[in-house]
Amino acid sequence: MRVTDLCPSPHIEALDLGDRIGDERVFVIAKVEKREVGSDKVMKGVVLFKDFERGFVLNKTNSRTIAALFGSDCKDWIGKKIALYRSETAFQGKTVPCVRVRDKRIDKE
């Protein structure tokens, strides 16, 4: 059992991808929608995947990476594979784990 199973979040966290920086998982995009997220109940884009129950909350960096791969119309993202990887970023003066999108296309198998 992983620690993320003990206190589950509705959204993907860095630990869902692995324990080390650079660990990645490949997902197939099933849907993109806007949802209220966080304690502030802010409307943000959320990517939902086939065969994975947690959504991926988009930020500018990740949404632009996906748009560069598949176009700016989110409906064109459906059925496409993306690799999410564990990284780090600066937030409020600290280095914290984050999730990023690999900037490469993954061919269908």
Side-chain angles (χ1 to χ4, degrees):
M1 180 181 324
R2 296 199 46 87
V3 70
T4 53
D5 295 327
L6 299 174
C7 301
S9 164
H11 305 110
I12 291 177
E13 303 175 49
L15 277 173
D16 290 320
L17 305 175
D19 295 325
R20 297 177 312 246
I21 302 301
D23 284 350
E24 74 176 40
R25 288 182 64 179
V26 174
F27 298 91
V28 177
I29 298 173
K31 184 189 249 188
V32 182
E33 60 187 31
K34 288 183 91 173
R35 291 184 175 179
E36 284 186 352
V37 298
S39 58
D40 296 339
K41 304 276 187 201
V42 176
M43 292 297 287
K44 289 196 173 195
V46 177
V47 177
L48 304 172
F49 301 108
K50 293 182 180 178
D51 304 320
F52 196 77
E53 67 278 357
R54 295 182 188 177
F56 177 50
V57 179
L58 291 172
N59 59 23
K60 283 184 184 179
T61 300
N62 290 327
S63 60
R64 289 179 179 167
T65 300
I66 299 171
L69 293 170
F70 307 121
S72 60
D73 190 335
C74 298
K75 73 178 180 206
D76 294 334
W77 302 1
I78 308 305
K80 302 292 195 300
K81 291 182 181 180
I82 59 171
L84 301 183
Y85 69 96
R86 184 181 172 143
S87 188
E88 292 181 328
T89 191
F91 181 72
Q92 296 181 345
K94 296 179 183 178
T95 300
V96 297
C98 70
V99 176
R100 293 287 186 233
V101 178
R102 289 258 184 244
D103 61 351
K104 64 179 182 177
R105 290 181 79 122
I106 300 170
D107 293 329
K108 293 189 177 197
E109 298 169 354

